[in-house]
């Protein structure tokens, strides 16, 4: 007996198809929602990446702008210059660093408008001992027969910046027989209430003590002041070859202060009928010295070093003279001598 195939229930099959349809709809909705979320998330990621790139690109300039004032402050303080050098090695923009350095440093070449008005220029050399440098100039009158004897009538001293430290008229010890006004600028009325020579000399020596003295033919000034000054602390602008060579003058020529000031400083001094001014001459000699200060000081140091090496050594027996004193002799010898 043959068996007939079983017939499916239409209701159960429709329920299966409906379930599959619902499953597929849910799956489709899930896929679409995921794609939609991905599409919405992608622009946000792009914006975040672009923001990061913008921040990274702007960071060096912001860091440089923030560090520039600090760099200037460090360079203004010599104790922090080493730290500024280390920090500059990590700076990203070399050109900006150079610009900051150029802005923070003002180099005075000796010809700038910021130089002290008294002397007209500052030294290109950074002289650590500038406080110990002064410039001296004296004006003389004639005494004795024919006015042949030189005596002090005015003395001026200026400091390294050209400021006046001392400027007084001095009454000579002897009656004046020749005022030499065309050269000295001294007239009779200048000496009426002038400082006595002895008092002026003490004041001048007190200022010059321990100082490097600059002057033109300054040994004539020392002579009229009746004073001696250590040779290694004298800078005579009339005898140095450095200034003559700089001015293009022949070797061995002793040039006047007026000529050197005109050629090297572009300055007219000792002009007119009023005679010389000792303050003006002292400032001119000081400015001439500053032109060759570095080379001149190196030359003086080298000369002093050579003199020390060439100095004869003291014999050994001279250093044992103190052993001849009584305290080093035996008591028996001292007793026998008595």
């Amino acid at each position: 007996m043959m068996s007939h195939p079983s017939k499916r229930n239409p209701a159960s099959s429709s329920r299966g198809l409906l379930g599959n349809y619902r499953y597929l709809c849910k799956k489709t909705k899930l896929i679409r929602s995921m794609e939609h979320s991905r599409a919405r998330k992608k622009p946000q990621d792009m914006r975040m990446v672009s923001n990061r790139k913008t921040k990274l690109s702007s960071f060096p300039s912001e860091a440089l702008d923030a560090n520039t004032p600090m760099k200037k402050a460090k360079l203004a303080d010599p104790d922090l210059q080493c730290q500024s050098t280390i920090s500059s090695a990590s700076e990203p923009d070399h050109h900006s660093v150079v610009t900051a350095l150029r802005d923070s440093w003002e180099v005075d070449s000796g010809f700038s408008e910021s130089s002290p008005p008294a002397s007209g220029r500052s030294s290109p050399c950074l002289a650590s001992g500038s406080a110990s440098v002064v410039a001296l100039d004296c004006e003389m009158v004639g005494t004795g027969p024919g006015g042949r004897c030189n005596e002090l009538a005015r003395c001026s001293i200026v400091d390294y910046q050209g400021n006046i430290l001392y400027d007084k008229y001095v009454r000579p010890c002897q009656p004046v027989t020749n005022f030499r006004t065309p050269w000295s600028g001294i007239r009779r009325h200048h000496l009426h209430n002038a400082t006595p020579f002895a008092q002026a000399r003490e004041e001048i020596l007190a200022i010059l003590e321990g100082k490097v003295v600059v002057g033109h033919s300054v040994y004539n000034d020392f002579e009229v002041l009746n004073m001696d000054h250590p040779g290694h602390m004298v800078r005579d602008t009339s005898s140095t070859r450095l200034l003559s060579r700089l001015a293009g003058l022949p070797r061995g020529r002793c040039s006047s202060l007026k000529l050197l000031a005109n050629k090297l400083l572009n300055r007219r001094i000792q002009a007119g009928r009023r005679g010389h001014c000792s303050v003006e001459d002292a400032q001119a000699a000081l400015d001439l010295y500053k032109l060759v200060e570095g080379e001149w000081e190196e030359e003086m140091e080298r000369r002093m070093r050579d003199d020390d090496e060439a100095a004869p050594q003291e014999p050994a027996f001279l250093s044992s003279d103190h052993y001849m004193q009584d305290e080093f002799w035996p008591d028996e010898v001292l007793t026998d001598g008595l």
Side-chain angles (χ1 to χ4, degrees):
M1 197 172 166
M2 295 179 63
S3 60
H4 298 282
S6 63
K7 297 181 179 179
R8 293 184 179 178
N9 191 355
S12 62
S13 63
S14 62
R15 283 197 299 270
L17 293 173
L18 182 61
N20 293 335
Y21 175 75
R22 287 178 179 174
Y23 171 77
L24 292 175
C25 289
K26 289 182 180 179
K27 190 71 174 178
T28 302
K29 289 181 180 180
L30 180 62
I31 293 173
R32 286 180 179 177
S33 64
M34 291 177 64
E35 290 178 353
H36 181 68
S37 64
R38 287 177 182 176
R40 190 172 57 181
K41 187 177 180 181
K42 188 173 182 180
Q44 293 180 357
D45 293 341
M46 293 295 293
R47 284 196 297 268
M48 292 179 63
V49 172
S50 63
N51 291 337
R52 287 181 182 178
K53 289 182 178 180
T54 304
K55 289 182 179 180
L56 290 175
S57 62
S58 62
F59 176 75
S61 61
E62 292 175 357
L64 182 62
D65 294 338
N67 290 334
T68 300
M70 181 62 68
K71 191 173 186 66
K72 290 184 180 181
K74 288 181 180 180
L75 291 173
D77 188 355
D79 296 333
L80 298 177
Q81 286 185 358
C82 181
Q83 299 179 9
S84 67
T85 305
I86 296 174
S87 64
S88 64
S90 61
E91 292 291 339
D93 192 352
H94 179 71
H95 178 71
S96 301
V97 174
V98 173
T99 304
L101 291 174
R102 189 186 300 118
D103 293 340
S104 61
W105 285 336
E106 292 181 2
V107 180
D108 185 3
S109 63
F111 297 88
S112 66
E113 295 179 358
S114 62
S115 299
S119 67
R121 71 182 66 244
S122 63
S123 174
C125 177
L126 298 177
S128 58
S130 60
S132 63
V133 177
V134 297
L136 167 72
D137 191 78
C138 297
E139 303 296 345
M140 296 91 155
V141 293
T143 62
R148 293 188 179 91
C149 298
N150 295 327
E151 288 207 38
L152 181 65
R154 183 184 179 184
C155 180
S156 300
I157 305 174
V158 298
D159 64 10
Y160 188 80
Q161 285 73 34
N163 303 314
I164 298 174
L165 298 177
Y166 188 91
D167 183 27
K168 288 186 179 181
Y169 291 102
V170 181
R171 186 170 68 245
C173 300
Q174 302 296 326
V176 179
T177 55
N178 187 353
F179 285 93
R180 305 175 184 173
T181 303
W183 298 276
S184 67
I186 304 297
R187 290 173 171 80
R188 188 181 299 274
H189 68 275
H190 289 146
L191 304 181
H192 285 169
N193 297 317
T195 305
F197 173 77
Q199 177 185 341
R201 181 176 179 274
E202 291 181 2
E203 296 170 350
I204 295 166
L205 293 182
I207 296 174
L208 299 183
E209 184 177 2
K211 300 289 196 303
V212 174
V213 180
V214 179
H216 196 81
S217 299
V218 70
Y219 286 100
N220 294 331
D221 300 333
F222 291 156
E223 183 178 357
V224 78
L225 285 167
N226 192 22
M227 64 167 288
D228 293 323
H229 203 69
H232 68 279
M233 300 184 71
V234 177
R235 306 293 183 268
D236 194 337
T237 56
S238 68
S239 59
T240 177
R241 171 60 186 158
L242 299 175
L243 289 172
S244 299
R245 183 177 60 195
L246 190 62
L249 300 175
R251 180 183 293 273
R253 175 178 176 179
C254 185
S255 304
S256 66
L257 180 63
K258 182 177 181 178
L259 177 63
L260 290 175
N262 186 28
K263 279 185 168 292
L264 299 179
L265 303 176
N266 195 24
R267 186 185 306 175
R268 293 185 67 234
I269 63 172
Q270 302 174 358
R273 299 179 180 180
R274 299 178 63 87
H276 297 187
C277 173
S278 52
V279 173
E280 182 183 56
D281 291 352
Q283 291 173 346
L286 176 67
D287 289 341
L288 289 172
Y289 162 75
K290 289 179 180 180
L291 290 178
V292 293
E293 177 183 0
E295 189 175 358
W296 201 341
E297 294 304 324
E298 290 179 1
E299 181 180 296
M300 292 298 297
E301 290 180 6
R302 185 166 56 252
R303 186 181 304 173
M304 291 177 61
R305 185 167 57 249
D306 293 342
D307 291 344
D308 291 341
E309 293 176 356
Q313 299 293 327
E314 185 182 55
F317 65 84
L318 293 180
S319 61
S320 60
D321 288 346
H322 64 285
Y323 289 111
M324 299 301 294
Q325 299 177 7
D326 292 345
E327 58 181 307
F328 295 101
W329 285 80
D331 295 337
E332 295 81 4
V333 176
L334 295 175
T335 305
D336 294 342
L338 293 176

